[in-house]
Every structure is written in structure tokens, then in C-alpha cells.
């Protein structure tokens, strides 16, 4: 078994490495754009405008209440039909991943902001700070300490979720597994290789996150 | 006493859902006056105070600050709040800023005071309340009494025309109550207009020009400290003072 794994790796390492690059690419785009969109949605949700509250509640509710695989299928099927220009499978899947992740990011940011003691807002307002300065100088610097660790965990989850793109044969790590498996008929050794690569990335990121969290807490002292 | 009105409240009512907390209150606060609001819990004292700087929006009625209707929705309320200092029961100092930054933040951002001037003002204020040595500490290192003194000078740094205190000593350990009350007393002597919601009856008696007794959303009785404490007329006032004194 160990030998087969090593053999497979020596022979097909470029396939896996390409897959890894695909995964990193998908995850990076998703994380980056989902964070921006998620922030906007969180701000809309926190605003006291009723229509925004309704729209964002619906958006977050649907995206968190249905399976991500269903959402990928939905975007993959529907997007090409409603856009006037050609969309590759990859683009459809990336958009779906971003939309899904943005809902989770929005909830993390909203919760982080709302976890800041209400007295802080009241004190800032009573001093005569504008709403924008209250957010920027008082609420966000405190909320960020709640948000960042949770966001880091969400990013790790996103990396694992990009594997669902393999269902649509979008180039990433799990698709590499399929490629090698169909060429060699060796399923389990290929899975082991891919699994180890995922484990390495997620472990590195969790460790990095732990160090970062400890730093944040030190600043509190 | 001068006759300039700092606050004038007209037909002020406030409800939270079905609960009517303030019932049609009419009252004025005059310049350089020290007014203490006393009364049982749930009588609407804090809500009344919080309506004065619009932290609570009145359900109906108007609040005038220096003859401007600040309950008017089209008004830029933060400009007026800069002249109305407020101190809370739970201090609400900013934990991510140093003692000095807590004080200088708003003057620099909102009043465009230069950093240097803001810092000098802050030093003066910190010396006044004995916190100068703590200027570079974060609030987590301060005791409750020190946090509350910081909250007071943070509000004073905006050079307000009036100070509102919402049960400023209720969250303090007993041995720290005095140091905070001393600061408020000094402030009262400096002719600042002050409105205080408090349970410290001895302090209220000593420092006030006028006492308002609130009960069930109305100002049930008011008068000088000796009128209220020595010769209360209202049955509810008598009952309340009987319990707390």
C-alpha cells in the first residue's frame, strides 16, 4: 500500500500539484471576494433599513439552509442560461462557491459586531461621535477580535469545500484524484495522497491561526 | 439661579412596546443647576435621562436643548450630543484605547482640536481626577472607580454645557463610591449644570439644588433637598424614603 502510494506520487506528482494549485486558486478567489461581499451584506443587515434586513435575511437563510452541492448544481445549470456571454464551468462554480461563502462570512461579521457591548456604542454616541467614526474607531477595532478567528476557521472550511468542484470536473485537488484514479484504476492510494495534501494545508493554516489568535489575546492584556 | 434653560422637556412620553415608561412629562433644567432624580427601580428615571440626549427616542413629545428641538428627526444630533456629556453606570470606557486616547479621540475627530491641544487638555483633566500616572495604561488595568473617573473626564474633554450621570456609582465596590462622588461634587462646585440619577440619598441631599422624585413614569414630587427629605408631601415619596433612609 505504502509502496503503491509512493509509486503513484512519483508518477503523477504533476497532476496532484496542478490540482493543488487549482484548489489554492479557487480558495483564494472565494475567500477574497466572499469576504468583501460578506462584509457588505453584514453592514446591510446591521443597518436599520427594513428592506435590507428582509433581503439579507432571505439571502443568508437560503444559502445556509440548502446544501452547498445543490447550490453548485443550481448555478452551474442556471448561470449559463441567463448570461448573454459564454461562461465556463469553472466560472459558474467559482461564483457559486463565492455566493455560498459570502453568507457565512456575513453571519460571522454580523455576530462579531453585535457581540461588542452595546454600552460602547452608547458611550461613543453620547460623546457626539458620528455614526461612521463610532463604527470605525470604536466598534470595528473591538469586533475584529471576535471576527478574525472565526473567519480563519471559515477559510479552512472553504478550502475543503472547493473539493465539491470535482463533481463538475473543475481543475482542483479532488479532480486530480479522479484523473489519476481513472487512468490507473487505483482509487484508495490516490485518495490517500489527496487526503495527505489537504491535511498538510489545513494543519499549516490552523497552526498559523492559533499563533495569530494568541497574538490577538496578548494585545488585550 | 439664572433663568437660562438648558433642557426643556414638553409632553414627553416613552413606551417600550406596551409598557409605558414615561407619561407626559413636562420639566426644565436650568443653567448651573444640580438636579438629582430619585425614585424606585422601574420608575423611568434612567429612561428620562437618556431621552435628554436622545439615546432613547421619545415616543411623543419634544426635547429642547438650549432652545433647539433636538428630538426633531432632521437635526444632526451628534453635534448637540457633543455639548451634553454623559456618564453611565457601567463606565463604558473604550477598552482598546489607552486612558489618554479615550479622552482625546472625540475632540480630535469631531471638534478638529489639534492633537497637541487635546493632549494638554487631557493632561489637565487627568491631574484633576488623580489619573495622570495612568495616562498610558489600558482600561483593563484600572479599578472600577478609576474607570468611572476616566469616563467623567472623557465626557468633560468635549467641554459640555451639561453633564448627565446615570447611576454613576451603582456598579462600584463600596470603597470606590466616595472617590467618584468627590469628582462629581467638585464638578458641581464649578457651576456645571448636572443631572444625576442616583440611589445615593446622602449625596443627593448634599449636592442638589433640586430633587425630582419619579414614580411610575411621572415626576411625582419635586423640591429642594430639605423639602423632599424632611417634609415630603406625596404619599409615594414618603413610602419610598421610608424604605431607603
Amino acid at each position: 500500500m505504502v509502496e503503491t502510494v509512493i509509486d503513484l506520487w512519483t508518477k503523477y506528482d504533476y497532476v496532484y500539484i496542478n490540482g493543488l494549485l487549482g484548489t489554492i486558486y479557487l480558495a483564494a478567489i472565494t475567500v477574497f471576494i466572499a469576504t468583501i461581499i460578506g462584509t457588505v451584506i453584514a453592514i446591510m443587515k446591521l443597518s436599520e433599513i427594513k428592506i435590507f434586513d428582509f433581503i439579507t435575511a432571505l439571502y443568508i437563510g437560503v444559502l445556509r439552509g440548502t446544501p452547498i452541492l445543490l447550490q453548485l448544481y443550481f448555478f452551474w445549470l442556471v448561470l449559463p442560461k441567463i448570461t448573454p456571454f459564454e461562461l465556463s464551468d469553472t466560472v459558474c462554480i467559482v461564483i457559486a462557491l463565492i455566493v455560498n461563502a459570502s453568507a457565512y462570512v456575513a453571519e460571522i461579521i454580523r455576530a462579531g459586531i453585535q457581540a461588542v457591548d452595546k454600552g460602547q456604542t452608547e458611550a461613543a454616541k453620547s460623546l457626539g461621535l458620528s455614526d461612521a467614526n463610532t463604527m470605525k474607531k470604536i466598534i470595528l477595532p473591538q469586533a475584529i477580535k471576535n471576527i478574525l478567528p472565526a473567519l480563519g476557521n471559515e477559510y479552512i472550511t472553504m478550502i475543503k469545500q472547493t473539493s465539491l468542484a470535482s463533481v463538475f470536473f473543475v481543475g482542483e485537488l479532488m479532480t486530480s484524484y479522479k484523473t489519476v484514479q481513472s487512468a490507473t484504476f487505483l482509487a484508495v492510494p490516490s485518495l490517500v495522497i489527496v487526503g495527505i495534501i489537504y491535511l498538510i494545508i489545513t494543519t499549516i493554516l490552523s497552526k498559523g491561526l492559533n499563533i495569530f489568535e494568541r497574538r490577538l489575546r496578548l494585545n488585550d492584556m | 439661579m439664572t433663568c437660562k434653560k438648558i433642557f426643556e422637556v414638553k409632553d414627553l412620553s416613552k413606551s417600550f412596546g406596551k409598557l409605558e415608561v414615561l407619561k407626559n412629562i413636562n420639566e426644565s433644567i436650568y443653567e448651573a443647576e444640580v438636579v438629582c432624580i430619585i425614585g424606585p427601580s422601574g420608575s423611568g428615571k434612567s429612561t428620562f435621562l437618556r431621552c435628554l440626549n436622545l439615546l432613547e427616542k421619545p415616543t411623543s413629545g419634544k426635547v429642547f436643548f438650549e432652545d433647539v428641538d433636538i428630538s426633531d428627526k432632521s437635526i444632526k444630533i451628534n453635534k448637540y450630543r457633543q455639548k451634553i456629556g454623559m456618564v453611565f453606570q457601567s463606565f463604558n470606557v473604550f477598552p482598546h484605547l489607552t486612558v489618554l486616547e479615550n479622552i482625546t479621540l472625540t475632540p480630535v475627530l469631531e471638534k478638529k482640536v489639534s492633537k497637541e491641544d487635546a493632549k494638554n487638555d487631557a493632561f489637565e483633566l487627568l491631574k484633576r481626577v488623580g489619573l495622570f500616572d495612568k495616562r498610558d495604561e489600558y482600561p483593563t488595568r484600572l479599578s472600577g472607580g478609576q474607570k468611572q473617573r476616566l469616563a467623567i473626564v472623557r465626557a468633560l474633554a468635549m467641554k459640555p454645557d451639561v453633564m448627565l450621570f446615570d447611576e454613576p456609582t451603582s456598579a462600584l465596590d463600596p470603597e470606590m463610591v466616595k472617590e467618584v462622588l468627590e469628582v462629581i461634587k467638585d464638578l458641581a462646585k464649578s457651576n456645571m449644570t448636572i443631572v444625576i440619577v442616583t440611589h445615593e440619598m446622602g449625596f443627593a441631599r448634599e449636592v442638589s439644588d433640586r430633587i425630582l422624585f419619579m414614580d411610575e413614569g411621572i415626576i411625582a414630587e419635586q423640591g429642594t433637598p430639605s423639602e423632599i427629605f424632611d417634609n415630603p408631601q406625596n404619599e409615594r415619596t414618603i413610602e419610598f424614603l421610608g424604605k431607603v433612609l
Side-chain angles (χ1 to χ4, degrees):
Chain A
M1 171 75 178
V2 177
E3 264 167 55
T4 334
V5 169
I6 293 170
D7 281 350
L8 214 54
W9 171 257
T10 0
K11 205 161 163 200
Y12 291 100
D13 56 352
Y14 64 96
V15 180
Y16 293 116
I17 286 173
N18 273 338
L20 172 61
L21 293 178
T23 291
I24 291 172
Y25 171 73
L26 283 184
I29 292 187
T30 309
V31 161
F32 183 69
I33 303 181
T35 305
I36 296 171
I37 298 177
T39 309
V40 173
I41 293 167
I43 291 169
M44 281 170 70
K45 186 134 207 271
L46 289 168
S47 77
E48 278 157 22
I49 303 163
K50 281 231 166 66
I51 182 79
F52 280 179
D53 191 52
F54 176 76
I55 295 169
T56 51
L58 190 70
Y59 183 87
I60 293 169
V62 168
L63 288 164
R64 298 211 310 168
T66 57
I68 180 167
L69 190 54
L70 181 150
Q71 292 164 24
L72 295 186
Y73 269 115
F74 183 81
F75 277 84
W76 182 66
L77 290 169
V78 171
L79 273 186
K81 286 194 184 128
I82 57 167
T83 46
F85 40 86
E86 280 283 301
L87 278 184
S88 68
D89 286 353
T90 310
V91 172
C92 292
I93 295 307
V94 166
I95 292 175
L97 286 172
I98 289 170
V99 169
N100 174 271
S102 70
Y104 287 87
V105 169
E107 274 301 275
I108 287 170
I109 293 177
R110 181 202 55 80
I113 289 175
Q114 284 190 334
V116 176
D117 180 14
K118 213 171 112 253
Q120 294 288 308
T121 313
E122 290 190 343
K125 280 185 174 178
S126 78
L127 285 168
L129 269 183
S130 66
D131 287 350
N133 276 333
T134 301
M135 197 36 115
K136 209 163 65 188
K137 300 288 181 180
I138 305 300
I139 306 304
L140 285 184
Q142 296 182 63
I144 215 93
K145 290 184 184 180
N146 307 326
I147 292 171
L148 285 181
L151 216 47
N153 285 322
E154 182 58 27
Y155 291 162
I156 293 172
T157 305
M158 283 183 206
I159 289 174
K160 290 182 288 177
Q161 277 176 347
T162 56
S163 63
L164 289 168
S166 66
V167 174
F168 308 89
F169 240 77
V170 169
E172 50 77 56
L173 203 46
M174 204 63 195
T175 310
S176 304
Y177 150 75
K178 283 187 167 175
T179 312
V180 174
Q181 186 258 335
S182 52
T184 60
F185 297 104
L186 291 168
V188 177
S190 188
L191 264 189
V192 169
I193 291 175
V194 170
I196 289 173
I197 301 177
Y198 274 119
L199 210 51
I200 292 173
I201 316 176
T202 51
T203 308
I204 292 173
L205 286 173
S206 327
K207 283 273 175 284
L209 194 63
N210 281 344
I211 295 170
F212 182 68
E213 267 182 66
R214 222 170 302 145
R215 284 258 172 87
L216 274 186
R217 246 175 290 139
L218 271 183
N219 282 346
D220 267 349
M221 305 298 274
Chain B
M1 197 183 300
T2 56
C3 278
K4 188 185 166 195
K5 281 177 184 171
I6 297 289
F7 284 113
E8 185 172 10
V9 170
K10 285 185 179 166
D11 302 322
L12 174 68
S13 293
K14 174 73 188 179
S15 303
F16 294 106
K18 279 187 180 160
L19 185 69
E20 217 184 344
V21 183
L22 298 177
K23 298 168 188 162
N24 212 37
I25 292 184
N26 287 286
E27 188 56 62
S28 294
I29 307 290
Y30 297 90
E31 191 174 33
E33 197 182 25
V34 177
V35 177
C36 278
I37 305 174
I38 60 169
S41 321
S43 58
K45 311 179 294 286
S46 286
T47 308
F48 175 70
L49 193 75
R50 290 160 58 86
C51 278
L52 294 180
N53 69 350
L54 271 290
L55 277 186
E56 299 293 351
K57 304 260 178 302
T59 309
S60 66
K62 285 185 159 79
V63 179
F64 291 88
F65 170 68
E66 296 177 346
D67 297 327
V68 180
D69 179 4
I70 56 168
S71 49
D72 182 347
K73 285 189 178 61
S74 63
I75 217 157
K76 279 203 120 195
I77 186 67
N78 58 322
K79 289 288 153 219
Y80 295 92
R81 282 189 182 135
Q82 289 169 14
K83 294 188 200 162
I84 307 171
M86 184 156 191
V87 173
F88 300 85
Q89 181 179 345
S90 49
F91 327 133
N92 299 337
V93 291
F94 303 134
H96 61 297
L97 301 176
T98 64
V99 167
L100 183 63
E101 288 164 346
N102 260 276
I103 301 172
T104 57
L105 178 82
T106 320
V108 170
L109 280 178
E110 301 291 345
K111 286 176 81 179
K112 309 297 170 207
V113 176
S114 77
K115 280 196 177 145
E116 203 51 42
D117 289 348
K119 202 169 141 182
N120 289 332
D121 282 353
F123 282 176
E124 281 305 310
L125 288 165
L126 285 170
K127 281 175 193 157
R128 219 164 106 186
V129 296
L131 286 176
F132 186 65
D133 294 341
K134 302 278 182 189
R135 62 191 179 278
D136 293 321
E137 299 272 17
Y138 282 90
T140 38
R141 295 284 181 88
L142 303 182
S143 70
Q146 290 170 331
K147 281 183 194 166
Q148 195 61 304
R149 281 184 274 155
L150 168 59
I152 294 171
V153 288
R154 177 180 66 179
L156 289 177
M158 293 300 286
K159 304 195 165 66
D161 294 347
V162 53
M163 287 285 287
L164 310 176
F165 290 87
D166 190 2
E167 300 192 24
T169 57
S170 296
L172 292 173
D173 293 335
E175 73 267 26
M176 292 170 183
V177 169
K178 202 173 160 225
E179 63 188 56
V180 171
L181 292 184
E182 287 301 326
V183 172
I184 303 176
K185 269 184 216 165
D186 279 348
L187 204 56
K189 277 180 209 145
S190 72
N191 269 345
M192 174 66 85
T193 312
I194 300 176
V195 186
I196 312 172
V197 171
T198 186
H199 292 295
E200 301 283 337
M201 294 303 149
F203 171 73
R205 178 175 201 143
E206 185 188 337
V207 80
S208 307
D209 297 310
R210 189 155 60 105
I211 306 263
L212 306 181
F213 172 74
M214 284 189 72
D215 186 51
E216 294 184 344
I218 59 165
I219 296 171
E221 185 170 0
Q222 63 167 294
T224 62
S226 64
E227 282 169 353
I228 296 292
F229 287 109
D230 301 333
N231 193 16
Q233 302 297 314
N234 184 297
E235 212 171 286
R236 295 283 296 155
T237 319
I238 297 166
E239 192 189 331
F240 173 74
L241 291 174
K243 278 182 196 158
V244 296
L245 288 180

mmCIF file of all heavy atoms in Angstrom, chain B residues 10-28:
data_model
loop_
_atom_site.group_PDB
_atom_site.id
_atom_site.type_symbol
_atom_site.label_atom_id
_atom_site.label_comp_id
_atom_site.label_asym_id
_atom_site.label_seq_id
_atom_site.Cartn_x
_atom_site.Cartn_y
_atom_site.Cartn_z
ATOM 1 N N LYS B 10 -41.092 68.753 26.803
ATOM 2 C CA LYS B 10 -42.517 69.053 26.662
ATOM 3 C C LYS B 10 -43.312 67.808 26.299
ATOM 4 O O LYS B 10 -43.042 67.164 25.282
ATOM 5 C CB LYS B 10 -42.713 70.101 25.547
ATOM 6 C CG LYS B 10 -42.326 71.499 25.971
ATOM 7 C CD LYS B 10 -42.646 72.511 24.884
ATOM 8 C CE LYS B 10 -42.282 73.918 25.332
ATOM 9 N NZ LYS B 10 -42.275 74.852 24.212
ATOM 10 N N ASP B 11 -44.293 67.476 27.133
ATOM 11 C CA ASP B 11 -45.201 66.347 26.887
ATOM 12 C C ASP B 11 -44.460 65.073 26.510
ATOM 13 O O ASP B 11 -44.858 64.366 25.584
ATOM 14 C CB ASP B 11 -46.203 66.695 25.775
ATOM 15 C CG ASP B 11 -47.019 67.933 26.124
ATOM 16 O OD1 ASP B 11 -47.364 68.062 27.319
ATOM 17 O OD2 ASP B 11 -47.274 68.750 25.222
ATOM 18 N N LEU B 12 -43.373 64.800 27.202
ATOM 19 C CA LEU B 12 -42.530 63.662 26.836
ATOM 20 C C LEU B 12 -43.147 62.333 27.290
ATOM 21 O O LEU B 12 -43.418 62.131 28.468
ATOM 22 C CB LEU B 12 -41.136 63.829 27.464
ATOM 23 C CG LEU B 12 -40.160 62.665 27.299
ATOM 24 C CD1 LEU B 12 -39.736 62.526 25.847
ATOM 25 C CD2 LEU B 12 -38.943 62.858 28.189
ATOM 26 N N SER B 13 -43.351 61.439 26.313
ATOM 27 C CA SER B 13 -43.799 60.083 26.639
ATOM 28 C C SER B 13 -42.873 59.087 25.957
ATOM 29 O O SER B 13 -42.366 59.349 24.880
ATOM 30 C CB SER B 13 -45.225 59.838 26.149
ATOM 31 O OG SER B 13 -46.123 60.638 26.885
ATOM 32 N N LYS B 14 -42.676 57.961 26.633
ATOM 33 C CA LYS B 14 -41.850 56.910 26.031
ATOM 34 C C LYS B 14 -42.441 55.562 26.389
ATOM 35 O O LYS B 14 -42.715 55.277 27.551
ATOM 36 C CB LYS B 14 -40.406 57.016 26.558
ATOM 37 C CG LYS B 14 -39.485 55.889 26.113
ATOM 38 C CD LYS B 14 -39.102 55.998 24.652
ATOM 39 C CE LYS B 14 -38.355 54.765 24.185
ATOM 40 N NZ LYS B 14 -38.004 54.838 22.754
ATOM 41 N N SER B 15 -42.659 54.739 25.374
ATOM 42 C CA SER B 15 -43.152 53.381 25.607
ATOM 43 C C SER B 15 -42.190 52.385 24.993
ATOM 44 O O SER B 15 -41.608 52.639 23.951
ATOM 45 C CB SER B 15 -44.521 53.190 24.951
ATOM 46 O OG SER B 15 -45.425 54.152 25.431
ATOM 47 N N PHE B 16 -42.001 51.272 25.678
ATOM 48 C CA PHE B 16 -41.309 50.135 25.090
ATOM 49 C C PHE B 16 -42.370 49.082 24.829
ATOM 50 O O PHE B 16 -42.829 48.410 25.750
ATOM 51 C CB PHE B 16 -40.232 49.583 26.028
ATOM 52 C CG PHE B 16 -39.102 50.550 26.266
ATOM 53 C CD1 PHE B 16 -38.976 51.225 27.472
ATOM 54 C CD2 PHE B 16 -38.145 50.786 25.272
ATOM 55 C CE1 PHE B 16 -37.934 52.109 27.694
ATOM 56 C CE2 PHE B 16 -37.097 51.666 25.492
ATOM 57 C CZ PHE B 16 -36.995 52.329 26.701
ATOM 58 N N GLY B 17 -42.785 48.946 23.585
ATOM 59 C CA GLY B 17 -43.903 48.059 23.277
ATOM 60 C C GLY B 17 -45.139 48.567 23.991
ATOM 61 O O GLY B 17 -45.526 49.721 23.824
ATOM 62 N N LYS B 18 -45.726 47.706 24.833
ATOM 63 C CA LYS B 18 -46.945 48.120 25.535
ATOM 64 C C LYS B 18 -46.646 48.840 26.840
ATOM 65 O O LYS B 18 -47.509 49.464 27.439
ATOM 66 C CB LYS B 18 -47.803 46.884 25.841
ATOM 67 C CG LYS B 18 -48.632 46.441 24.648
ATOM 68 C CD LYS B 18 -49.593 45.336 25.047
ATOM 69 C CE LYS B 18 -50.411 44.906 23.847
ATOM 70 N NZ LYS B 18 -50.986 43.572 24.030
ATOM 71 N N LEU B 19 -45.377 48.721 27.272
ATOM 72 C CA LEU B 19 -45.014 49.278 28.564
ATOM 73 C C LEU B 19 -44.787 50.782 28.453
ATOM 74 O O LEU B 19 -43.900 51.240 27.743
ATOM 75 C CB LEU B 19 -43.746 48.590 29.079
ATOM 76 C CG LEU B 19 -43.300 48.982 30.483
ATOM 77 C CD1 LEU B 19 -44.276 48.453 31.518
ATOM 78 C CD2 LEU B 19 -41.898 48.464 30.738
ATOM 79 N N GLU B 20 -45.591 51.540 29.171
ATOM 80 C CA GLU B 20 -45.464 52.994 29.155
ATOM 81 C C GLU B 20 -44.504 53.410 30.260
ATOM 82 O O GLU B 20 -44.831 53.303 31.441
ATOM 83 C CB GLU B 20 -46.848 53.624 29.365
ATOM 84 C CG GLU B 20 -47.061 54.867 28.560
ATOM 85 C CD GLU B 20 -48.408 55.508 28.870
ATOM 86 O OE1 GLU B 20 -49.279 54.830 29.477
ATOM 87 O OE2 GLU B 20 -48.571 56.682 28.530
ATOM 88 N N VAL B 21 -43.320 53.846 29.884
ATOM 89 C CA VAL B 21 -42.289 54.124 30.887
ATOM 90 C C VAL B 21 -42.320 55.579 31.344
ATOM 91 O O VAL B 21 -42.127 55.874 32.521
ATOM 92 C CB VAL B 21 -40.892 53.779 30.323
ATOM 93 C CG1 VAL B 21 -39.828 54.004 31.378
ATOM 94 C CG2 VAL B 21 -40.851 52.332 29.853
ATOM 95 N N LEU B 22 -42.543 56.476 30.391
ATOM 96 C CA LEU B 22 -42.660 57.895 30.742
ATOM 97 C C LEU B 22 -44.023 58.398 30.292
ATOM 98 O O LEU B 22 -44.451 58.134 29.169
ATOM 99 C CB LEU B 22 -41.555 58.715 30.055
ATOM 100 C CG LEU B 22 -40.114 58.372 30.420
ATOM 101 C CD1 LEU B 22 -39.149 59.232 29.605
ATOM 102 C CD2 LEU B 22 -39.854 58.559 31.905
ATOM 103 N N LYS B 23 -44.702 59.118 31.177
ATOM 104 C CA LYS B 23 -46.063 59.557 30.866
ATOM 105 C C LYS B 23 -46.158 61.068 30.863
ATOM 106 O O LYS B 23 -46.253 61.696 31.911
ATOM 107 C CB LYS B 23 -47.053 58.974 31.879
ATOM 108 C CG LYS B 23 -47.094 57.456 31.864
ATOM 109 C CD LYS B 23 -47.863 56.929 33.064
ATOM 110 C CE LYS B 23 -47.725 55.409 33.135
ATOM 111 N NZ LYS B 23 -48.083 54.914 34.467
ATOM 112 N N ASN B 24 -46.084 61.641 29.686
ATOM 113 C CA ASN B 24 -46.372 63.049 29.517
ATOM 114 C C ASN B 24 -45.630 63.964 30.494
ATOM 115 O O ASN B 24 -46.246 64.706 31.253
ATOM 116 C CB ASN B 24 -47.890 63.247 29.669
ATOM 117 C CG ASN B 24 -48.363 64.379 28.794
ATOM 118 O OD1 ASN B 24 -47.851 64.547 27.688
ATOM 119 N ND2 ASN B 24 -49.298 65.151 29.293
ATOM 120 N N ILE B 25 -44.319 63.922 30.433
ATOM 121 C CA ILE B 25 -43.512 64.705 31.379
ATOM 122 C C ILE B 25 -43.235 66.106 30.837
ATOM 123 O O ILE B 25 -42.893 66.267 29.667
ATOM 124 C CB ILE B 25 -42.183 63.975 31.672
ATOM 125 C CG1 ILE B 25 -42.486 62.695 32.455
ATOM 126 C CG2 ILE B 25 -41.224 64.870 32.437
ATOM 127 C CD1 ILE B 25 -41.275 61.939 32.883
ATOM 128 N N ASN B 26 -43.405 67.103 31.674
ATOM 129 C CA ASN B 26 -43.022 68.481 31.365
ATOM 130 C C ASN B 26 -42.055 68.944 32.442
ATOM 131 O O ASN B 26 -42.405 68.914 33.632
ATOM 132 C CB ASN B 26 -44.251 69.397 31.336
ATOM 133 C CG ASN B 26 -45.086 69.151 30.090
ATOM 134 O OD1 ASN B 26 -44.716 69.547 28.995
ATOM 135 N ND2 ASN B 26 -46.199 68.446 30.261
ATOM 136 N N GLU B 27 -40.854 69.346 32.029
ATOM 137 C CA GLU B 27 -39.867 69.727 33.026
ATOM 138 C C GLU B 27 -38.764 70.535 32.364
ATOM 139 O O GLU B 27 -38.545 70.407 31.163
ATOM 140 C CB GLU B 27 -39.271 68.457 33.662
ATOM 141 C CG GLU B 27 -38.371 68.713 34.845
ATOM 142 C CD GLU B 27 -39.072 69.514 35.946
ATOM 143 O OE1 GLU B 27 -40.058 69.024 36.495
ATOM 144 O OE2 GLU B 27 -38.609 70.653 36.212
ATOM 145 N N SER B 28 -38.103 71.380 33.135
ATOM 146 C CA SER B 28 -36.958 72.118 32.615
ATOM 147 C C SER B 28 -35.776 71.961 33.546
ATOM 148 O O SER B 28 -35.936 71.781 34.756
ATOM 149 C CB SER B 28 -37.292 73.605 32.483
ATOM 150 O OG SER B 28 -38.288 73.779 31.501
#
